[in-house]
Amino acid sequence: MAEYLEKDLQDFLMEYGGFSAEENYFEDEITFLEKEFSLENHRRIDILGESRNFVYIIELKRNIIDANALVQVLKYKTAFETFLKPQKKVRCILVAPEIDSNTHNAI
C-alpha cells in the first residue's frame, strides 16, 4: 500500500468537493465545507461537511481506525454540538485504509 499523509488525503478530498448521493452510503449529497475546522477547545476537525439534513465531522487516519480514533471523533462531535449548537444533527465519518478488528467488532 502506498504511503501517504493525512494532509494528502485531506487535500484530495477537499479538491474533490464532496460525495454525490449516488456514490456514498448516505441519503443525500455531502459537500465538504472546510478543512482544519477549529473548535473552541483547540481541536481541529480534519474536514467539516454538510448535507441537506446533517453536519459531518470527517476524521482522517493515515493507517488504521482504532478505539482512540473513535473516542477522538466522538469528542469532536460533543465539542462541536456544545460550542456551536448546530441546527442540524451531527454525524461522524472516520476514513482510513483499515479498521482495527476489536474496534470493528465494537461498532
Side-chain angles (χ1 to χ4, degrees), residues 37-40 45 48 55 76-87 90:
F37 181 85
S38 292
L39 294 168
E40 301 254 340
I45 295 170
L48 185 66
V55 173
Y76 289 176
K77 180 181 185 285
T78 299
F80 188 88
E81 291 172 332
T82 300
F83 296 128
L84 298 172
K85 306 202 183 322
Q87 299 299 311
V90 179

Side-chain angles (χ1 to χ4, degrees), residues 82-99:
T82 300
F83 296 128
L84 298 172
K85 306 202 183 322
Q87 299 299 311
K88 298 179 180 182
K89 290 185 178 183
V90 179
R91 287 185 168 175
C92 300
I93 300 174
L94 283 161
V95 178
E98 159 177 15
I99 185 168

Side-chain angles (χ1 to χ4, degrees), residues 27-67:
E27 59 277 350
D28 56 7
E29 184 173 311
I30 300 170
T31 302
F32 301 145
L33 303 174
E34 189 173 337
K35 66 179 182 177
E36 297 297 323
F37 181 85
S38 292
L39 294 168
E40 301 254 340
N41 61 358
H42 306 289
R43 305 276 184 169
R44 291 180 188 238
I45 295 170
D46 288 338
I47 297 176
L48 185 66
E50 184 176 42
S51 70
R52 182 178 46 227
N53 298 311
F54 299 97
V55 173
Y56 290 89
I57 294 172
I58 304 166
E59 181 62 23
L60 310 174
K61 293 297 174 195
R62 181 176 153 195
N63 296 316
I64 191 165
I65 295 169
D66 59 12

Side-chain angles (χ1 to χ4, degrees), residues 2-38:
E3 282 294 313
Y4 65 91
L5 300 174
E6 286 178 31
K7 183 184 179 329
D8 297 330
L9 181 57
Q10 183 183 56
D11 289 344
F12 171 79
L13 289 173
M14 288 302 294
E15 186 174 315
Y16 192 69
F19 296 126
S20 69
E22 294 82 34
E23 65 189 2
N24 71 55
Y25 296 100
F26 307 103
E27 59 277 350
D28 56 7
E29 184 173 311
I30 300 170
T31 302
F32 301 145
L33 303 174
E34 189 173 337
K35 66 179 182 177
E36 297 297 323
F37 181 85
S38 292

